[in-house]
């Protein structure tokens, strides 16, 4: 299975990931810097210097984005709010904070930490540029660009469009005023959608004015903000619906198990054909060994199915994420989302108790939503 996110280890104990879309923007920024920005401003530079400074500038730019997100993450962690990871992607970066802040003050402090880091970086790079003797040297040129881009990054994130940092500041203010985080999130999201529509309209106008690249990019940012605003509010709504509910309330208790010595052709013929099952637990007696999915089967050529057994292709239990019956339902859904899977085995004292699937959770959410509306 093709992974869209690559792990780069940890930074200060926080997992760092890069989405494949980041590679596109890295190439685009480097190409823009080497193709026009530096050659036009520093015509005396050699091509080797131009490309070397362009690559270094791109790397430092994304290091600046990483520091911006670390600002959010470290402040969140200092306040007891868990941080799952930081991901760099096409529109910059995002800190995956697994819980909502407990108070409006926490929200405000966490929100302003990132832009503050960017503004400090802007000042540092500007100082390096001003103190450097020869403004034509690569270090001075690099510092000038990074000072400006960090200033733009800090100010852009202060736009009151949720879930941008400025939108989170707005939510903190609304939350403090109305004392209801869901109400504050709803209105901050609506403001975020207005900001997104403004970006889209400006992008379309610039595109039809002849500046297609900038116009398209601005419009894409608008579409991203609109989707992010809607998703953030929906996420909080779903979390409220699942609050207080555990995996045992929705899990499937009758799990179909497979013996490890079963051949794949027999599996497909007798267990898969004519059913809606897409995954099976592999067990020896009552001891679960792992899980077999459609993806595992597809990795084996059809001609080899008679000679390949379940034990040859299944995913061992120690490589799987599992949950317990009392695991909060929201945590299980987050686990499935972060791991990109549709089901999780439910274990208790080393024994298989059932399976929780994304479909189970979605069905439960629909039921809870109808119940809330009916009240």
């Amino acid at each position: 299975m093709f992974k869209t996110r690559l792990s780069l280890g940890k930074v200060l104990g926080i997992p760092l990931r890069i989405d494949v879309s980041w590679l596109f923007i890295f190439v685009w920024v480097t190409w823009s810097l080497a193709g026009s920005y530096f050659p036009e401003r520093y015509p005396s530079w050699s091509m080797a210097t131009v490309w070397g400074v362009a690559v270094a500038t791109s790397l430092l730019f994304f290091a600046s984005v990483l520091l911006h997100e670390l600002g959010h993450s470290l402040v969140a962690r200092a306040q007891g709010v868990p941080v799952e990871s930081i991901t760099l992607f096409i529109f910059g970066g995002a800190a995956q904070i697994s819980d909502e802040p407990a108070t409006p003050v926490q929200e405000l402090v966490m929100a302003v930490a990132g832009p503050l880091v960017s503004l400090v970086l802007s000042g540092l790079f500007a100082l390096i540029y001003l103190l450097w003797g020869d403004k034509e040297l690569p270090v001075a040129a690099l510092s000038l660009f990074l000072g400006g881009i960090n200033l733009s990054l800090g100010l852009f994130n202060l736009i009151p469009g949720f879930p941008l940092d400025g939108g989170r500041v707005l939510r903190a203010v609304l939350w403090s005023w109305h004392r209801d985080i869901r109400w504050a999130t709803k209105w901050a999201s609506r403001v975020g959608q207005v900001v997104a529509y403004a970006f889209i309209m400006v992008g379309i106008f610039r595109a039809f004015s002849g500046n297609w690249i900038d116009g398209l990019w601005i419009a894409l940012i608008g579409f991203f903000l609109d989707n992010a605003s809607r998703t953030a509010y929906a996420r909080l709504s779903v979390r409220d619906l699942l609050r207080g509910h555990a995996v045992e309330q929705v899990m499937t208790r009758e799990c179909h198990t497979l013996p490890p010595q079963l051949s794949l052709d027999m599996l497909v013929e007798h267990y898969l054909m004519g059913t809606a099952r897409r995954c099976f637990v592999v067990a020896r007696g009552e001891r679960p060994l792992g899980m077999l999915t459609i993806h595992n089967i597809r990795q084996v050529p059809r001609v080899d199915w008679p000679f390949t057994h379940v034990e040859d292709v299944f995913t061992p239990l120690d490589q799987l994420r599992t949950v317990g019956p009392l695991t909060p339902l929201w945590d299980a859904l987050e686990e499935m989302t972060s791991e990109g899977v549709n089901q999780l085995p439910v274990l208790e004292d080393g024994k298989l108790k059932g399976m929780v699937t994304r479909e189970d959770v979605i069905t439960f959410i629909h039921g809870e939503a109808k119940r809330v509306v009916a009240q």
Side-chain angles (χ1 to χ4, degrees):
M1 183 181 296
F2 178 71
K3 292 187 176 180
T4 60
R5 293 183 178 181
L6 308 175
S7 176
L8 294 184
K10 295 184 177 181
V11 179
L12 299 178
I14 301 173
L16 173 62
R17 299 168 181 168
I18 287 186
D19 190 274
V20 292
S21 63
W22 177 87
L23 299 175
F24 167 79
I25 197 64
F26 175 78
V27 171
W28 181 75
V29 169
T30 304
W31 182 268
S32 299
L33 291 173
S36 58
Y37 180 83
F38 286 133
E40 291 175 2
R41 287 162 178 77
Y42 309 98
S44 63
W45 286 7
S46 67
M47 285 301 295
T49 300
V50 166
W51 279 99
V53 176
V55 171
T57 302
S58 295
L59 290 172
L60 286 172
F61 166 56
F62 286 105
S64 299
V65 174
L66 173 59
L67 290 174
H68 177 107
E69 297 303 329
L70 275 174
H72 292 305
S73 301
L74 295 180
V75 170
R77 197 166 65 178
Q79 297 185 102
V81 181
V83 179
E84 293 185 356
S85 64
I86 293 175
T87 302
L88 299 180
F89 64 110
I90 191 169
F91 292 112
Q96 184 66 36
I97 297 174
S98 60
D99 203 355
E100 295 289 351
T103 66
V105 174
Q106 277 193 357
E107 171 84 307
L108 180 64
V109 174
M110 288 164 51
V112 300
L116 182 60
V117 169
S118 294
L119 295 177
V120 169
L121 287 173
S122 175
L124 289 175
F125 282 118
L127 184 62
I128 292 173
Y129 174 76
L130 293 173
L131 294 179
W132 207 262
D134 189 347
K135 299 299 189 290
E136 293 288 316
L137 289 178
V139 173
L142 179 151
S143 298
L144 177 62
F145 178 85
L146 290 172
I149 202 69
N150 274 287
L151 177 62
S152 299
L153 180 64
L155 295 179
F156 172 78
N157 275 278
L158 289 175
I159 294 173
F162 193 79
L164 292 176
D165 300 333
R168 293 192 175 275
V169 170
L170 175 62
R171 183 173 78 158
V173 173
L174 294 174
W175 183 8
S176 178
W177 172 45
H178 202 268
R179 300 296 178 184
D180 184 341
I181 186 174
R182 187 171 180 180
W183 181 90
T185 304
K186 178 178 72 175
W187 284 102
S189 296
R190 288 182 177 177
V191 173
Q193 289 171 39
V194 172
V195 171
Y197 296 151
F199 270 88
I200 294 170
M201 294 304 295
V202 170
I204 292 173
F205 176 79
R206 296 198 67 173
F208 281 97
S209 297
N211 196 339
W212 283 96
I213 295 178
D214 285 352
L216 179 61
W217 184 246
I218 292 171
L220 285 175
I221 291 175
F223 283 115
F224 167 76
L225 288 178
D226 179 51
N227 180 69
S229 293
R230 297 173 186 274
T231 301
Y233 180 60
R235 184 175 184 272
L236 183 62
S237 299
V238 169
R239 183 172 189 152
D240 284 346
L241 288 173
L242 296 182
R243 191 184 306 276
H245 298 288
V247 165
E248 63 181 356
Q249 294 177 255
V250 304
M251 70 182 189
T252 302
R253 298 179 184 275
E254 295 181 2
C255 289
H256 202 97
T257 60
L258 300 175
Q261 68 275 14
L262 183 69
S263 64
L264 295 190
D265 62 329
M266 297 296 290
L267 164 66
V268 171
E269 182 179 351
H270 295 285
Y271 293 85
L272 269 181
M273 298 296 290
T275 72
R277 295 193 186 99
R278 289 296 177 265
C279 71
F280 299 86
V281 174
V282 181
R284 182 173 283 113
E286 293 187 358
R287 184 168 67 92
L289 302 177
M291 185 182 295
L292 182 78
T293 65
I294 295 292
H295 175 69
N296 297 130
I297 299 172
R298 286 175 176 167
Q299 289 182 317
V300 181
R302 187 180 295 268
V303 294
D304 293 333
W305 284 1
F307 318 107
T308 305
H309 300 90
V310 166
E311 61 186 349
D312 300 322
V313 296
F314 80 102
T315 303
L317 194 63
D318 58 6
Q319 296 179 23
L320 293 172
R321 297 286 187 176
T322 63
V323 294
L326 299 181
T327 298
L329 203 47
W330 170 257
D331 292 351
L333 180 59
E334 285 282 272
E335 191 75 43
M336 283 187 276
T337 301
S338 64
E339 293 298 315
V341 297
N342 293 314
Q343 61 280 314
L344 293 170
V346 183
L347 300 182
E348 187 177 41
D349 298 328
K351 294 183 178 180
L352 181 69
K353 294 297 181 179
M355 185 80 67
V356 59
T357 68
R358 194 184 299 268
E359 184 179 356
D360 294 331
V361 180
I362 291 174
T363 300
F364 182 81
I365 290 171
H366 286 163
E368 283 295 292
K370 290 180 180 179
R371 183 184 63 80
V372 170
V373 170
Q375 287 181 342

